[in-house]
Amino acid sequence: MPPAKKLPKLPSIRELVRLYNLRAKQQLSQNFIMDKNVTDKIVSLAGLELDNALCVEVGPGPGLLTRSVLDHGARTVVAVEKDERFIPTLQQLQDASDGRLRVMLGDMLKVDHQKIIDNGLQLESRNGAKDAVSFEYVHLLGNLPFNVATPLLIQWLHLLSARQGIFSAPNVSMTLMFQKEVADRITAMASESPRGRLSIVAQSMCDAFRLYHVPGSSFVPRPKVDASVVQLRPLEKPLLQSSLKTLEHLTRFAFMKRRKMLARIFKDWDPNQLTLLEECEIDPTLRPQDVPTEKFCTLAGIIEQRGIKLP
């Protein structure tokens, strides 16, 4: 296929926000990025493979990250936006995209993923790939509203573990902006202070690493905290040895008493289950945050296999 065209000259996002009187809604945790240098940097660092690829953007808002994705050469972009106020500006961008963008109004927590895939395949067909029935690559991107970022990520990890929806593609990546504190938890390794349940659940399925720090001054209105862009790419051999639900239950149980040693946590639950730690070669004097992800996955696998009921 020939390289994708650059977008034509468009009004700036700042101008569109002013023209359409688009104000960030505090109840939706909305914050806009106005500097395209920031979104261009995010897309460049993401290292997206764009041949036979579907880019899915969650919560594009006025569309600045969308512009950067398109300008980077993406041929097939589906943007899912919950707030109908942004549809006119996104429709303008769709009209200017030379058939590379499709905008969907919907809540990503509830949207039918098959509709996303179908919209992407329609774009592929119009752009010359008439026999396309699936995508080799799916890239999920978004500046996620802080109040729904974690529930979205957990839902996507469940879909990834089951290879369902857009996560059924052979190669999937997630390049997502989180509140810095959440990004710290997602990427924290064993014994690092932000380490928690989210670290283990994410790392059981994915290699999770920080791509880019975005200061609060980059957003309008300016939030009280900074943000970080995290990329998650599925591991070739996932560490998960159970259902993700069992691992979630185990980590919830362990981290409820995160300052206690595992020996005390297990004794308080059932002294007879202390042998599980020995079986998994987990030092009972460790605290939950000190246990590597693979050890938690091994423990969850044994608990599920034997039908052991956690508190």
Side-chain angles (χ1 to χ4, degrees):
M1 284 187 184
K5 296 178 182 178
K6 284 273 189 179
L7 289 169
K9 179 71 174 175
L10 296 166
S12 72
I13 292 296
R14 198 175 293 276
E15 289 169 339
L16 289 173
V17 166
R18 189 163 49 241
L19 176 66
Y20 288 94
N21 194 28
L22 297 172
R23 299 179 183 275
K25 287 187 175 181
Q26 186 175 2
Q27 64 268 35
L28 296 179
S29 296
Q30 289 176 339
N31 302 94
F32 307 147
I33 296 177
M34 298 294 189
D35 184 354
K36 192 167 180 286
N37 291 318
V38 173
T39 54
D40 284 346
K41 182 76 170 178
I42 291 168
V43 176
S44 177
L45 289 172
L48 306 179
E49 170 57 63
L50 296 175
D51 287 333
N52 193 15
L54 169 62
C55 294
V56 181
E57 186 183 356
V58 182
L64 189 60
L65 179 61
T66 323
R67 293 187 185 194
S68 293
V69 172
L70 291 166
D71 277 340
H72 200 69
R75 296 187 180 91
T76 308
V77 182
V78 177
V80 183
E81 177 55 59
K82 179 180 179 179
D83 190 340
E84 61 186 11
R85 297 178 305 146
F86 295 116
I87 298 303
T89 64
L90 293 170
Q91 189 65 52
Q92 282 189 18
L93 185 54
Q94 177 175 303
D95 293 343
S97 70
D98 196 28
R100 295 185 290 138
L101 171 65
R102 181 69 57 83
V103 177
M104 291 177 59
L105 178 64
D107 183 344
M108 194 62 190
L109 278 168
K110 302 173 183 177
V111 72
D112 180 354
H113 282 211
Q114 190 57 49
K115 290 183 179 179
I116 297 174
I117 295 168
D118 289 346
N119 273 294
L121 290 172
Q122 288 173 21
L123 291 176
E124 281 280 283
S125 178
R126 290 181 182 182
N127 290 328
K130 297 188 182 302
D131 298 326
V133 294
S134 63
F135 293 95
E136 183 177 356
Y137 297 91
V138 169
H139 304 299
L140 186 61
L141 306 102
N143 171 18
L144 302 181
F146 291 164
N147 65 339
V148 294
T150 299
L152 278 169
L153 178 59
I154 293 295
Q155 183 196 74
W156 295 335
L157 290 170
H158 275 277
L159 290 170
L160 176 61
S161 69
R163 285 292 179 180
Q164 293 178 343
I166 61 174
F167 296 94
S168 62
N171 300 283
V172 180
S173 73
M174 294 181 273
T175 305
L176 307 168
M177 192 179 303
F178 297 94
Q179 185 176 335
K180 180 181 177 298
E181 178 183 320
V182 177
D184 289 344
R185 293 205 299 270
I186 294 168
T187 57
M189 304 306 290
S191 299
E192 294 180 351
S193 58
R195 177 87 162 170
R197 293 169 49 205
L198 191 57
S199 319
I200 294 156
V201 172
Q203 293 167 28
S204 72
M205 296 291 301
C206 297
D207 183 14
F209 51 95
R210 193 187 314 271
L211 273 186
Y212 191 53
H213 173 76
V214 185
S217 58
S218 298
F219 297 92
V220 176
R222 180 172 181 165
K224 295 179 181 179
V225 295
D226 291 347
S228 290
V229 179
V230 172
Q231 188 166 83
L232 298 102
R233 288 186 177 266
L235 297 166
E236 286 189 20
K237 295 182 179 179
L239 301 173
L240 191 66
Q241 300 180 27
S242 65
S243 66
L244 198 61
K245 186 176 181 180
T246 297
L247 182 62
E248 283 186 282
H249 194 167
L250 172 61
T251 54
R252 187 183 304 117
F253 160 67
F255 279 91
M256 280 179 65
K257 301 177 180 178
R258 61 180 300 136
R259 298 191 181 279
K260 291 189 176 183
M261 292 188 297
L262 289 169
R264 171 51 57 192
I265 294 171
F266 274 67
K267 280 180 183 177
D268 289 347
W269 165 38
D270 181 351
N272 293 324
Q273 303 295 358
L274 265 172
T275 56
L276 288 172
L277 299 176
E278 182 179 350
E279 191 174 345
C280 297
E281 299 181 348
I282 297 173
D283 183 347
T285 66
L286 294 178
R287 292 178 171 83
Q289 72 182 51
D290 300 318
V291 179
T293 300
E294 57 266 30
K295 295 294 186 182
F296 262 112
C297 290
T298 300
L299 181 56
I302 291 174
I303 286 171
E304 182 172 278
Q305 184 180 15
R306 297 179 185 171
I308 298 171
K309 300 298 183 184
L310 289 163

